[in-house]
Amino acid sequence: MIQVVVVVYQRWHNAERWQRVWDARLRTERLVVVHNQDELNELRIAEELPSRVVVQRPNIGLDVGVLQDVIHGRIPGIAPDWEWLFFATDDFLPMSHDFLEPFCRMAGSNSSVALVGSRNGSQYAVGHHCRTSGFFLRRDAAEKLVFPADPLQTKQQCYEFEFKNYNMLRQIQEMGLSCVFLDQTDSAVLWDSHGEGYPSRLNLFPGKDLDDIFQYHETDKWSLHSYGKTYEKLL
């Protein structure tokens, strides 16, 4: 059983794209969109449909706080019997209806795999880390993760879990489990709008919005997030 969680803060328009892509899929998993809001004092369900749930949450612990709450069973709408968690933030946009496929394929490649990352970041890390903005996590490993505080409160605590000395990737490796990453082509199922920018800002797709680009990507399958000649393949 796969549980899909997307965390939103200020980019609600990105969450709407997630929901449109999700509604077009023919899978049985349920999408839970968690909308972190500064002005909220309590957790509440804003919308509940058979295929997806929108949960409004006080912005405590940022996106990593949501991950902590999911693992500890504090987010409504989460399937109680989930085995794998797909977790993404509103930085990322789905560029394919079958965006889960490469994650599932990598997860099934070896019984020791407990984490499949879409981006392997090292800019701020001591060693390597898995960016918490998009990954696939096995439940038995998730339940053993140690967070700097419970509940998480500060950005610093979130940074420690993401890329400091005892980050998520390193903790899983110390469990004797494997962490793998999608290759350049597979990782194109997600567009990193924060790190890679919107195509309209890059002037690479004049006259096209992301919905148009989505259609191109569905037929071409080239890596949208790579700069240079890759883009020419889509035009």
Side-chain angles (χ1 to χ4, degrees), residues 151-193:
L152 294 167
Q153 298 282 346
T154 67
K155 284 185 178 181
Q156 183 59 38
Q157 291 169 343
C158 296
Y159 293 159
E160 288 175 14
F161 181 81
E162 182 176 11
F163 53 70
K164 295 295 184 181
N165 290 329
Y166 202 47
N167 60 55
M168 177 175 65
L169 183 148
R170 189 164 295 184
Q171 288 189 51
I172 291 174
Q173 290 173 330
E174 291 186 3
M175 296 175 196
L177 300 171
S178 300
C179 304
V180 296
F181 290 87
L182 302 184
D183 64 22
Q184 187 178 35
T185 300
D186 280 345
S187 65
V189 295
L190 299 177
W191 177 283
D192 183 358
S193 64

Side-chain angles (χ1 to χ4, degrees), residues 1-4 22 27-32 50-51 77-86 100 104 136-139:
M1 176 67 177
I2 299 172
Q3 177 62 64
V4 177
W22 190 258
R27 295 185 64 114
T28 58
E29 297 91 357
R30 200 182 203 192
L31 170 67
V32 176
S51 63
I78 298 296
D81 56 345
W82 67 270
E83 299 170 302
W84 283 88
L85 172 68
F86 175 84
L100 284 176
C104 293
F136 200 46
L137 178 64
R138 206 169 81 191
R139 184 169 189 159

